[in-house]
Structure formats: C-alpha cells, structure tokens
Amino acid sequence: MWISCIELTNFKSYRRQVFELPCPSDGRNLVLIGGLNGFGKTTILEALYLCLYGKDALIHLARAGLKTDEMSGYPTFLERAFNGEARLAGAEFMTVRVRVNRSKTSALDVTRKWFFKANGTWTEEEAIARLVDRNVPKPPRIDGKSGFSLIELLDDFFVPAHIAPFFFFDGEEVKKLADQSRVEQVKQGLEGLLGVVLLRTLSERLKNFESTQRTGVVNVDHEKLESTRVELSRVEAELIEAQHERQALQAEADRIRQERETLLSRMTAAGAGSADVSSLGSLIEEREQFRTELGKCHQQLEAVLTGKLPFHLAGSTILSAFRSQIGGELRWFDWEADRRALEPRITAFEQAFFDSTATDIKPPLTEEQTKAVQEGITRAWTSLFHPPPPDAASEIVHRYLSKEARHDTFAFLDSVDLSQQDIDDLLEKQESLNRRIEDLGRQISRLEGLDRDGTLATFKKSIDELTAPWDRLQDAIRNNERKQGALENRAHALRATYERERQNADHSNPARTLIEKSERVRRVISEVIPNLFPLKVQELAREMTKVYRALAHKDIVQRIDIRNDGSTRLLDRSGKEIMADRSAGENQIFATALIAGLARVSRISAPLVVDTPLGRLDSKHRQNILNFWTSDTKRQVILLSQDEEVDHSFYMRLADRVCKSYLLEHTQVADGIGRTTATEDAYFPGGDA
C-alpha cells in the first residue's frame, strides 16, 4: 500500500501542486520532501488529514502533534488555509486530492473540496471517493449521500481515523511524548490503538442525550435532583484529584527508590566488591521491604477497625434485626412495584366489564345496582394487592437506600465474619515485623562500623537523608488511600441517592426506556475500558523490544516489559531492571519505538508520513532510525525534512533507498502572501553547490 498522489489546489501556500509518488520497489521505499522551516512541509501532512478525515481531522491533527486552534474550530482553520492569492483572484474553492494504491491496478481516489464566499468565509464542502479496480474507475460516491460513509470506507481500505497518528505524525510530537512519563506514553498509545477515545466520545454523547431526554420530565423536584448531581460531581472531582495526587506521590516515591538503589550500586562499586558493603546494601533493602509489608499490615488493621469490627460491636441481635428489616423492605418494594403496575388498570377493567355485559343483563341495572357492582369490583380488585404480604416490612426505615444498595447491604453482611484469631494474627504479624525491622537496624549499625576511610559513612548518610522523605511519602500515600476510600464511599452514597431520584423523575416519562438503554451502554463502556489494556500489552511489549533494540546504539536493553497498568521496565540480559538515567535521545528512541510498535500491532501496512523526523537525535541515533525506516522495503516512508535533519550528506548515504525527492521553494508574491513550489527529483544541494 502506498500514497501515489497528493494534489493541492489553493491550499495554504500552494496555488497548484501535484506530488506524484512511485510504488516502493527494488529496495527503494523512501520519499524525501525537503524544505526550510515555514516553506510548506507541515502543510502536506495537514492536507493528508483534512482530505481523508474532514472535520474530524482537527482532533487527530492535535494527536499527531500539529498545532490547531481548538477554540476557533474547523471553519476558522479552513478560512486560514484558503490560499491568499486565490482569495485575491476571486477563487471560490480549495481542493485536496489524495490517491492511495493497494496495488498497481487497485486504488482509492479521494477529493475534498471546500467552497468560500467572496469575502473568504467558508460555506460548505464536498468529499468524493472513487474506487479503482483493475485500472477501471468505479462511479464516484459523495460522502454522506445515499448512505455512503467515507470514514467507513477508510476503515476497510486504508487507515481508521483513530489509528492515523501512528502513521502520519509530526516528529516534534515524538519529542513531546518522550518528555512525558513512560506510563502516560504507553497509556495514550494503547488508548489510541484500542479506540478508547471513540468509546469515551460515545459515552459523553450518550450522557448528553440522556440529559436532553430528561428535560421533558414534569412534576419532578429538579432542584433536589440537580443539587445531588452537583454534589456528586464535586465529590467525583475530588476523587479524581486525589487519584492524581496518588500518582504524583507514587512517582516521587519511585524517584527516591531509584536514587537509593543508585547509591547502593555506587556503594558496592566503592567497596571493590566487599562482602560487608554488599551485605549492608542487602540489609537496607530487606529492611525497606519489611517496612512496606508493615504498611500493608497497618492498612489491613485499619480495614478491620473501620469495616467489619463496628458491626461486631453492634451485637448479633442488632445485626439480625437489621438484616430482617432490610429483607422486609426489599419484599415490600417488590410488592409495591406489583401493586403500582396493577392498580391503575381497575378503571379499564370496569369499563371492559360493563361494555361486555351491557346487553346480557335484563332488565338493565339501576343506578344503585350499578354502583354496588362497581364497589364489589373495587373490593375484589383491591384484595389482589392488599394487605401487603406478612413478611414485608411494616415500616420503611432505610429510605435512603436504593433497591441495589439493599442487595449490596445483604452481600456485605454475609462478609463481615471476624474472629478474635483474625485480629490476633494481624497484631502478631505487626509485632513480628517491628522486631525484624529493629533487628535489621542493629545489624546495619554494626556493619557501618566496618567503614574505615569514611566512604561508606558518606553513602550511608545520603541514604539516611532519603529515608525521612521516603517515610513521609509512604505516610502520605496511606493517608491518600484512606481519603480515596472515604470519597469513594461518599460518591457511592450520592450516586445511589441520585439514581433513586432520577428513577423517580423518569418513572412516567415516555423517554425512560431510551434513557435506561443509554445508561446501560455507558455502564458497559466504563466496565470495558479498564479490561482492554491486557489484550494488547504483551504483543506491544514484544514489538517495542524489536524496534528499540534496532534503534538504540547501546546494546544494554534485552527486553521491554509492560504491565497492565501501562508501567514499563527496561530489562537487561539477566532480567534485572535497568535503573540508569536516560538521556533525551534515549527517551525519544523509546517514544519512537512505542509509535512503531503500535503501528505494527495494528496489523496495518500503511505508509509512514513524518514531519520533522529526526528532531534532537544525535548522528548515531539518526542513522539507526533511518536504517529502521528503510529496512521494510515494502512500506513507503515519506519524510518531510528541513536541511539540518536529512542534509545533503545524509541524503547521499540514503540515495540508494530514495525512490522520489522534492525540494520546496518559497517566494513572496504580495504583502503577507507567499507561494510554495516543489521541484521534482531535487533536494538540498551540497555545501559547495
């Protein structure tokens, strides 16, 4: 698959330009388009996105690293893209055409045309797609007409929109990605690969749909419902903030841990392999492991004290009464639901009874007789649901609980079993851990005396200086976890109240069925998203490892390991994590390996189009990346480069891989208006040219 043609008309600085690109063959798969900054390289990448994906391109342009004015939106973007010369000349349209070939006889030709008023205001657009099969063009089809969708066709024929940033991107985005934490890099990449962005967009649209549908509900305490919703939103926002705080605390804890491990490694080196120094490092590490275990033990005790123990202190009589009351309330609500469903139909039954017997009763009933029959029907009908069943609650005490919350309460009551032995075991474990930590502290103190020249003491002092902030961080993390637990409980209670009030609001609304279906879909989406990552992490780790080892000039990393939460580890041949500081170039190599790995996992053999491809890389890394891109001779690679990235000398080294080149030149034709032209089979000249 390759892009065979990109045609620009009145698009940005291009008045009229056609880029004809050949099929990769004979080991030549590289297309070089060179131009100085501001000469129109990025315009080619923007044109590719806009032609294929239309208004949805703004989202994907931003993900691909290109700057867009999100506040102004699509119309302003187009009006700024309309060529200045064309506007002055009275032209009314701007066009981009892209042709993608699957083979020499099979292709997809897409032309998108935007129309403008005389003052340069965008009015409408039209996207026309034409398939070519065995060199015979099929009839053109217009996007959005007669049930045709260009996006669906691109999903099958070329590259789905949400995957496009793995293939068409600005190299500056790789630099930006490289500056983020690696967990965030991997999460963003996996979310794009798995279409999580689309799922979240769908969920948000469904939420807006539900809000719109509820506006038709009448006779509802909207003020109470809204205040509950606002409070729930506030608590959920606090919960998200607490989660972010937890991530920041954990990141700082990881930094201190890495710094301590680095100091321990230096201690080992300074001791020339001394068993005492190694033993000291092991003892310190073991003590930290026991401290971590002690923190977990504290959390278990807190869970017992705040969760199960209060119920045991209440006594079995109270618990039994509570269980009985909740069960009675559930049975009462079941009876109430049946009654509400049956009671309104009495009038219809009476009418049907009298209509069906009117001609059979002779002589006709008098008014008093008719009233007596009606009263008999009413008594008989009422007896069907009165009185409530004997095992139903006579009084609803826990009105704050929804039906689902009552079922959850039953499940919790079944899990509160707690014995004295359970508590004794936890206390004994806590005491044992404290003793072990104290013993290790004494052993460490004894070994410190082995240092003769002060080197070990210096390292130990540095490690001790890290211990206090480490302990504070662990305390802060535990406090944060308690805070999150309290917020989650509060959010759960508010959510139950909100759901109960919302159900009351929706009870008589004709839109209730649609709203409930929408909510079920949103619940499924929220449950599905966290379970998607494990489907791809191992495959992504394998592909990233292959790419990383091909790109890095240090043969240290043997394998990249990715966990389900997106965290990564670089492992050496012995399986040990590599903790050394990472240079900016190595971070960019990691980000490049991530993008390439995602493209491989997608199973799409689409071209690569990269603007500013080599960024801040040194010459060795540059050569490795170029070698990697040209290694798959069947994949087309289009590089939009300035003269300091792929310069003339680099170009000469790659000449046997280049199938086409263009040199962009720019001239000023009027005040604030420039024109870009492309010279075919030309590139930046050498220094003596």
Side-chain angles (χ1 to χ4, degrees), residues 155-201:
D155 287 350
D156 295 333
F157 192 95
F158 190 45
V159 179
H162 65 280
I163 302 289
F166 301 154
F167 297 92
F168 322 129
F169 55 88
D170 186 345
E172 291 296 323
E173 176 66 4
V174 178
K175 292 163 60 178
K176 176 183 174 184
L177 190 65
D179 291 335
Q180 297 178 3
S181 74
R182 292 190 170 173
V183 172
E184 291 304 313
Q185 293 181 41
V186 174
K187 282 186 176 179
Q188 287 181 22
L190 283 170
E191 287 186 356
L193 177 67
L194 296 166
V196 171
V197 175
L198 300 180
L199 289 175
R200 286 181 175 151
T201 301

Side-chain angles (χ1 to χ4, degrees), residues 671-688:
D671 187 20
I673 298 176
R675 180 191 301 162
T676 297
T677 56
T679 304
E680 188 175 356
D681 294 327
Y683 199 67
F684 294 115
D688 55 351

Side-chain angles (χ1 to χ4, degrees), residues 569-584:
R569 297 185 302 162
L570 304 184
L571 306 179
D572 60 18
R573 294 184 182 278
S574 64
K576 185 178 180 181
E577 184 175 1
I578 300 171
M579 305 304 301
D581 293 337
R582 309 178 184 103
S583 67

